[in-house]
Amino acid sequence: MKNEEKLALYSVWVDTITATEQRRQQASSIYLSLISASGALLGIVQTIDPLFIVIPAIFICLIWYSSIQYFKTLSRAKFKVIADMENGWEIRPFEFEWNHVKNLQSKKPLLKIGLISLEMFPPIFIGLLGVVYTLYRLFSHVCSHGTL
């Protein structure tokens, strides 16, 4: 394969990483919008039992979390392909960038948290709140009536 063809393939592959990141951000925005709309619905319609909103929100959080995990795996694979493409090159931008990130992380431990870890916080937090509320409702019903 000629160098021009290699560079063109490399460029296309780098563009797929950007597209994947945009898809991940769009997916997270959709999930957050669904949960926000559910919360707004609770505030607007007083006759809805909150469990009819909370339980689907828990499932949305599970799907959201799984989606983030999928995109994380896909991104790692794409970066591995780029590292393989850069192998043997005199200049390896992604490898150099990764080395700089690791160097900065060693100096500033908070940078080790990572964007993906921060992104997983909302679905985990919202989902756990939903589970806690559901368990509270279940146990309060059992305690007050003695049965399910």
Side-chain angles (χ1 to χ4, degrees):
M1 186 180 282
K2 295 179 184 176
N3 283 340
E4 295 84 24
E5 292 170 337
K6 289 179 184 178
L7 189 57
L9 179 60
Y10 181 83
S11 178
V12 167
W13 203 257
V14 169
D15 288 343
T16 67
I17 289 175
T18 303
T20 300
E21 292 298 311
Q22 289 172 343
R23 285 180 25 221
R24 188 188 85 238
Q25 290 172 357
Q26 287 171 341
S28 288
S29 293
I30 290 169
Y31 296 130
L32 187 57
S33 295
L34 285 170
I35 290 174
S36 297
S38 300
L41 188 62
L42 276 175
I44 295 170
V45 182
Q46 301 296 322
T47 57
I48 290 180
D49 184 339
L51 284 178
F52 289 116
I53 301 296
V54 171
I55 292 174
I58 293 169
F59 286 106
I60 290 170
C61 287
L62 288 171
I63 294 167
W64 185 4
Y65 179 84
S66 298
S67 170
I68 292 170
Q69 290 297 323
Y70 167 77
F71 282 115
K72 178 181 176 182
T73 302
L74 183 60
S75 289
R76 282 186 176 165
K78 287 184 177 293
F79 280 112
K80 175 68 175 129
V81 169
I82 284 182
D84 290 345
M85 287 178 166
E86 289 180 353
N87 196 14
W89 289 10
E90 186 177 325
I91 297 175
R92 296 175 306 280
F94 281 93
E95 181 182 330
F96 293 162
E97 179 181 27
W98 184 245
N99 289 336
H100 287 299
V101 167
K102 286 194 290 188
N103 184 32
L104 289 171
Q105 286 175 335
S106 69
K107 294 176 184 174
K108 297 181 180 182
L110 284 179
L111 292 176
K112 287 184 181 182
I113 294 172
L115 186 59
I116 295 291
S117 298
L118 291 173
E119 235 180 302
M120 288 189 288
F121 179 76
I124 291 170
F125 182 72
I126 295 167
L128 285 176
L129 281 178
V131 168
V132 167
Y133 177 77
T134 303
L135 290 173
Y136 166 76
R137 285 282 304 271
L138 179 66
F139 288 122
S140 65
H141 180 78
V142 168
C143 290
S144 66
H145 294 93
T147 62
L148 289 175

